[in-house]
Amino acid sequence: MSFGVCLNNVREKSPLIHNITNYVTVNDVANVLLACGGSPIMADEPDDAVEITQICNGLNINIGTLNSRTITSMFKAGLKASELGHVLLLDPVGAGASALRTNTAIRLMKEIKFDVIRGNASEIKTLALGSGTTHGVDADKADSVSDKNLSFMIDFVKNFAKSSNSIIALTGAIDLVSDSSKCYVIRNGRPEMGKITGTGCQLSGMMTAFIAANLDNKLESAAASVALMGLAGELAFKDGLGNSSYRNNIIDEIYNMTGEKLDKGAKYEIF
Amino acid sequence: MSFGVCLNNVREKSPLIHNITNYVTVNDVANVLLACGGSPIMADEPDDAVEITQICNGLNINIGTLNSRTITSMFKAGLKASELGHVLLLDPVGAGASALRTNTAIRLMKEIKFDVIRGNASEIKTLALGSGTTHGVDADKADSVSDKNLSFMIDFVKNFAKSSNSIIALTGAIDLVSDSSKCYVIRNGRPEMGKITGTGCQLSGMMTAFIAANLDNKLESAAASVALMGLAGELAFKDGLGNSSYRNNIIDEIYNMTGEKLDKGAKYEIF
Amino acid sequence: MSFGVCLNNVREKSPLIHNITNYVTVNDVANVLLACGGSPIMADEPDDAVEITQICNGLNINIGTLNSRTITSMFKAGLKASELGHVLLLDPVGAGASALRTNTAIRLMKEIKFDVIRGNASEIKTLALGSGTTHGVDADKADSVSDKNLSFMIDFVKNFAKSSNSIIALTGAIDLVSDSSKCYVIRNGRPEMGKITGTGCQLSGMMTAFIAANLDNKLESAAASVALMGLAGELAFKDGLGNSSYRNNIIDEIYNMTGEKLDKGAKYEIF
C-alpha cells in the first residue's frame, strides 16, 4: 500500500482523534487534523477525557504543558482507549528537560501500550536510555540524525521499538520511523520548519489519524504522515517567507495534498 | 432595524465581552471579537471571573475543554452577570458527547437565564431532548437542517426557545435563529467552513457582542451575527484555498465588513 | 550599541525563554520568540516550572488567565530564576481590572526582582499607584501617553523605575522605556495593532529574549524590542488588511528583520 493510499483512507474514514495536548499549539493540531481529513476533539478533565475517548478512534497524548489534572486524564483516558483497542500515540514533549516530563512519559509507557511514540532525537533518547540532556523542547544538535550516524541511529530506533513494543518515530532533519524489523528513512521537509512552533505536535495529531485509518498498515501509515508533513513543508516554502505565513501555508498544503502528490513527492528508503 | 445597523452598533459601542471558553479556539475568538468591533477579555479562575465579568457587557460561556475549576467559574460568573443584567450566551460544545458536558450545559440552563444558546444541531437537540448522539464536537449528519425537514426544525427551535426562555441559534448548513414567535432562516456560509476549527466558537463570541450592542433587538442582532459569519465565509473563499488561509481570510472579511455590505449579502427569510 | 546589534545578539545567542503566560495568545508568543531568534518553552505546573526555568535564560511571567495553580508556578519559578540570575519580566495583564490580578502583580513585584515590567498605561499606573481604572485588558484612553502629557509621563515612569528598581516599559501609541535615569520615547507602530489580540504579550516574550541576549545593555535592548515590534507593525501594514492577516504579517516582518533595517526604521529619542 502506498503513502497516498494511506492519506486517501484518512480522508475517506475521517477518524475522530482525541487529543490531550498542550495549549501552545493545540489550535494548529486541530486545524492540521481537519486538513488531512481527520476530525479533532479535545478533553482533559479526567471524567470527561475517559468518556470522550470512547467515541473516538485514536488518542494523541502530548505532555507539553502537562499538569497534575491533565496527567491524571492521560492515564485514565489512555487506559480506557487501550482497553477499547484504540490507536494510541505518545508525544513526550520535553522529556529529558524536567523530571516530571521524563517520569510521566516513562510511566505512561509502562502502564499503556502505545502504537507509536513520536518525538525529536533528545526526547526519544531520553526515553530509550532513561536519561537525557534536552535543550528545552527542541532537540540538541548533538542528538540529531545525520548521514554520519545513520546506521547507528537506525539500529537504535529498531532496538527501542523492540524493547518498547511500539513504533518509534524520531523526527528531525532526517526522520526515522521504525518497528523492530523495518525502518523508514524519510528525507522530506526543510530546516525552516524548526522556526515554527508545534510542527511536531501537529504531526503527532496527524499520525494518530493516519494509523487509525490504516489499522492493517500501522508502520507504513505512520511513515506516510511524516512524509506528508515534510512534503507540505517543501511545497509551502518560498524565499523570504516569514514563519507565520509558513505555518499557514504548510497547513494549506496538507489540506490540498492528494494521494498522487504525496506518492510522487515522498522521499524515503526502507532499511 | 437592519443587520447592518446591528453591526454598526457593535463598532460604535465596542462592548467588552468576557469569554470563559476552550483553549483550542480562544485566540480566534479574541481576534474575531476585535474584528467585529467588540473587545475581548478572558478570565476563568472563579474569583477573577466573577470580578472581571462585572466590568463587561456580556458573558460568553463555552464548555469545550471544561474542567472542574472552569465549571465553577461558569456558574459563579454566570450568576453575577445575570444579576447585573448582562448579556449571557451558552455554547454547549460537545453536549451529548459526554455526561459531564451534557449535564453541565443542562445545569447551567437551569440556574442561569441565557439570552441565547448557540450550538450545532446535535448539541441543541441534546439540550432540548435531554439526550443525544453526538459525533464528537461536530454535528451528526442525521441531525442537520435541510429543506426537507425545515418546517419541522423551525417548530422545534421555536418550541425549545419557548421552553428554555432563550433565543436558540442552531447553526449548520442552514442556520435557524429563533425566539418563541419568530425564526430567522439564514442561508449564508459555505460547507468548507466546517474544515476550520472553531467557527462556531468564533460566532458565539461575536453573537454575544452583537446582542450586547443591540439590547432592544436581541433576536435580530443574533441573526445578524450569524449572517455576518456566513457572509464572511462566502467572501473569504477562493478555489484551492487551504483551511488555514481560509480561517485567516474569514476573520479579515469580518474586520472589513460594513453595514451596507452585510445588508446586501445577507440571505434570510423570517418564519 | 545600536538596536540592530541587540537584535543580532538575539539571533546569535538564541536565548531559551520560559513563558508562564495566558492561553489566549501563547501560540503567537512562541512564534514571535522564534521569529526574533529566541527559543520558547512553556511550563506552568509548579514543580515542572521550577525545573524548566533552570535550563532557560529568562522567564516571562504574564498574568492574563492566571489561576491558583499558575500563580504558584509564577512565584516558585520566579524565585528560582531570580536565584539563578536569569532575566525576569513581568507582564501585568489586566492589573487594575480585578483584585486578583492587581494583588498578584503587586505581590510578585514585592517578592521577586524583575528586570523589566511591561504593560499598557492603565496597568503600569495601577502598579505604580496601587489602584486603577482599567477597561478590561486594554488601556483606558485617559491613561495613554500623548505629546501633551509626555514630560509628565516620562517623569512618572522614571520615578516608578526608581521605586520598583526595574526597567519600566509602558507601551501604547507612544512607548516609554525607562530606568531611573534615562527614558526612551519610541514612536514606531500603528494604531491598527490594537485590533490584534496579544501584541503586548508577544512583545513581552520578545523583550525577555532581547534582554537575555544583551545582559550588559538591558535598557537599550528592552527599547530595541519595542522599536522592533512597532517597526514590524509599520512594515506589515497595507490598506484594507484585516486583523488576522495583519497579525501574520507582523510576525513575518519580525522574522525577516535585520539589524540594519531595525536601525534605519527605529524612531526614538532619549530623555
Side-chain angles (χ1 to χ4, degrees), chain C residues 211-226:
Chain C
I211 300 176
N214 295 281
L215 291 172
D216 294 334
N217 291 282
K218 290 182 176 180
L219 180 64
E220 186 168 26
S221 60
S225 68
V226 173

Side-chain angles (χ1 to χ4, degrees), chain B residues 66-107:
Chain B
L66 78 183
N67 63 51
S68 56
R69 179 175 55 76
T70 59
I71 291 170
T72 302
S73 298
M74 291 172 192
F75 280 94
K76 284 195 160 189
L79 288 168
K80 174 57 74 180
S82 187
E83 187 188 312
L84 297 171
H86 293 179
V87 171
L88 275 148
L89 181 143
L90 174 64
D91 186 336
V93 178
S98 77
L100 183 66
R101 293 177 187 231
T102 305
N103 295 340
T104 300
I106 287 172
R107 278 178 52 219

Side-chain angles (χ1 to χ4, degrees), chain B residues 27 31 44 48 51 248 252 256, chain C residues 23-24 98-99 101 240 244-245:
Chain B
N27 184 265
N31 275 325
D44 68 9
D48 199 44
E51 218 178 331
N248 294 323
D252 287 347
N256 285 318
Chain C
Y23 56 82
V24 184
S98 78
R101 292 177 188 231
S244 184
S245 290

Side-chain angles (χ1 to χ4, degrees), chain B residues 103-123:
Chain B
N103 295 340
T104 300
I106 287 172
R107 278 178 52 219
L108 283 165
M109 286 174 60
K110 274 193 188 146
E111 297 191 23
I112 297 161
K113 158 84 176 73
F114 288 97
D115 292 283
V116 55
I117 300 167
R118 194 219 62 80
N120 64 35
S122 304
E123 293 155 354

Side-chain angles (χ1 to χ4, degrees), chain B residues 248-268:
Chain B
N248 294 323
N249 290 5
I250 290 173
I251 300 177
D252 287 347
E253 290 292 343
I254 293 169
Y255 186 87
N256 285 318
M257 189 69 69
T258 62
E260 204 181 347
K261 258 160 76 176
L262 177 55
D263 280 332
K264 212 169 147 188
K267 297 175 209 138
Y268 66 96

Side-chain angles (χ1 to χ4, degrees), chain B residues 138-176:
Chain B
D138 299 314
D140 276 345
K141 272 173 201 157
D143 282 338
S144 66
V145 179
S146 65
D147 281 308
K148 277 190 182 168
N149 66 7
L150 186 59
S151 73
F152 171 83
M153 290 302 288
I154 291 172
D155 287 345
F156 167 75
V157 295
K158 280 185 179 174
N159 286 334
F160 184 38
K162 192 169 183 183
S163 67
S164 65
N165 197 20
S166 298
I167 294 167
I168 301 301
L170 187 164
T171 58
I174 300 174
D175 306 304
L176 307 179

Side-chain angles (χ1 to χ4, degrees), chain A residues 32 172 175 186-196 199 202-203 206 224-239 241-243 245-257 261-262 265-267, chain C residues 255:
Chain A
V32 161
D175 305 305
I186 303 168
R187 291 170 187 272
N188 289 102
R190 293 190 59 94
E192 293 84 358
M193 296 173 80
K195 291 291 181 185
I196 301 168
T199 48
Q202 294 169 33
L203 173 54
M206 196 156 65
S225 68
V226 172
L228 168 53
M229 190 80 210
L231 179 59
E234 294 170 19
L235 298 173
F237 185 78
K238 278 182 256 180
D239 274 324
L241 203 66
N243 62 333
S245 290
Y246 192 29
R247 181 261 308 266
N248 294 324
N249 289 5
I250 291 173
I251 300 176
D252 288 347
E253 289 292 343
I254 294 168
Y255 185 87
N256 285 317
M257 189 68 69
K261 258 161 76 176
L262 178 54
K267 298 174 210 139
Chain C
Y255 185 86

Side-chain angles (χ1 to χ4, degrees), chain B residues 16 21 23 26-28 30-31 34-35 37 39-45 48 51-52 55 69 248 251-252 255-256, chain C residues 23-25 28 65-68 97-101 136-138 194-197 240-245 247-248:
Chain B
L16 181 60
T21 188
Y23 56 81
V26 61
N27 184 265
D28 292 332
N31 275 325
L34 288 162
S39 188
I41 187 163
M42 280 69 174
D44 68 9
E45 171 77 358
D48 199 44
E51 218 178 331
I52 289 292
I55 59 168
R69 179 175 55 76
N248 294 323
I251 300 177
D252 287 347
Y255 186 87
N256 285 318
Chain C
Y23 56 82
V24 184
T25 65
D28 292 332
T65 69
L66 79 184
N67 64 50
S68 56
S98 78
L100 183 67
R101 292 177 188 231
V137 290
D138 299 315
K195 291 291 181 186
I196 301 168
T197 193
L241 204 65
N243 62 333
S244 184
S245 290
R247 182 260 309 266
N248 293 325

